[in-house]
Amino acid sequence: ETADALLHRRVADHQRGSGVADEIVQLVQGVGRVQRQEDRAGADRRKIEVEVLRALLDLPSETWKAPAGKAFSISSVEAAEEAAEDLRRQWKIGLDSIPVLMELLEEQGIKIAVVELSAAIAGTKAMVRRQGNGDVPVMLVNSTHNGERQRFTLAHELGHLILQFRRMDKRDIEKAADRFAGAFLVPKKTLLREVGENRSEITLGEL
């Protein structure tokens, strides 16, 4: 069972009276079991992460409101780019770069935690049901990855959160989430403005 599947199974079936803290304990400990058998230091670190996640979910936050519109119901990889452009319009962020993506997502009501995961797991997301506070989307991102990788992971998981995939297999769904992430972080118009419309390649130095 993948960490993403485990996360969804553990969080989606929140039992009445179990409490958010219990759900987060299961979430973090479950991902840890999927990764590897931990040593003592790793187990202690994960206990700290559990406490941080408990506190995170108890903090007040903006109310999450899923974006509306036909653009977010897609049946092709290419359609994900239009959805990214539409989301930028709805969130009124224009075509400029996003200085701090994590801050932007938190302003929209998404809870984010940076925790140590295995190198093979970039991140994951789920909706957590909170008693009395409403459902909240939660994203986990791997603390061992560099900042740019984390930004792309957050944008990728945002695609999974807001897109409705129609008649698409798992491989195309992942491609669509990647396409969404790229277009959300660097819109096509912005890229063309920076590098020109007649380029066939781009150097590493320019990146």
Side-chain angles (χ1 to χ4, degrees):
E1 186 173 28
T2 66
D4 189 62
L6 179 62
L7 172 59
H8 281 274
R9 180 167 61 81
R10 291 291 176 85
V11 177
D13 296 327
H14 180 61
Q15 298 297 319
R16 181 175 299 176
S18 63
V20 170
D22 293 336
E23 293 294 323
I24 296 303
V25 169
Q26 293 176 15
L27 161 61
V28 176
Q29 292 178 343
V31 172
R33 284 196 296 273
V34 171
Q35 290 178 218
R36 62 186 180 277
Q37 186 69 34
E38 295 184 307
D39 57 18
R40 176 64 186 222
D44 289 344
R45 182 174 58 251
R46 197 153 298 281
K47 288 179 181 178
I48 295 173
E49 291 170 350
V50 167
E51 294 304 319
V52 170
L53 285 167
R54 282 172 171 165
L56 177 69
L57 285 176
D58 286 338
L59 290 174
S61 63
E62 298 294 331
T63 301
W64 164 250
K65 183 178 180 181
K70 294 181 179 180
F72 302 105
S73 179
I74 68 173
S75 56
S76 69
V77 173
E78 294 73 20
E81 189 165 336
E82 180 182 348
E85 294 172 355
D86 201 331
L87 183 62
R88 273 181 165 263
R89 284 192 293 270
Q90 290 196 29
W91 284 3
K92 297 181 172 60
I93 55 178
L95 296 175
D96 293 334
S97 63
I98 302 170
V100 185
L101 179 58
M102 187 178 298
E103 183 177 296
L104 172 66
L105 298 181
E106 289 176 337
E107 288 173 353
Q108 300 298 325
I110 299 172
K111 297 281 191 179
I112 298 172
V114 182
V115 297
E116 184 176 347
L117 305 171
S118 71
I121 303 174
T124 188
K125 64 94 186 69
M127 291 295 296
V128 174
R129 296 175 185 145
R130 300 185 300 179
Q131 292 182 337
N133 291 321
D135 295 356
V136 59
V138 176
M139 292 184 183
L140 300 185
V141 63
N142 197 332
S143 65
T144 67
H145 290 173
N146 63 47
E148 292 307 312
R149 176 76 181 276
Q150 291 175 350
R151 278 172 61 86
F152 191 85
T153 296
L154 289 172
H156 176 97
E157 296 302 335
L158 178 62
H160 279 296
L161 179 65
I162 69 170
L163 295 175
Q164 301 171 28
F165 304 100
R166 297 185 292 110
R167 299 185 299 278
M168 297 176 67
D169 60 30
K170 184 177 294 186
R171 184 177 180 181
D172 281 344
I173 286 173
E174 290 304 314
K175 286 182 178 180
D178 281 345
R179 183 72 168 264
F180 172 90
F184 185 70
L185 293 173
V186 185
K188 182 178 180 179
K189 291 181 179 179
T190 302
L191 181 63
L192 293 177
R193 182 183 67 201
E194 295 295 327
V195 304
E197 298 187 18
N198 299 316
R199 300 284 294 275
S200 60
E201 61 182 26
I202 187 169
T203 68
L204 182 60
E206 287 177 298
L207 292 174

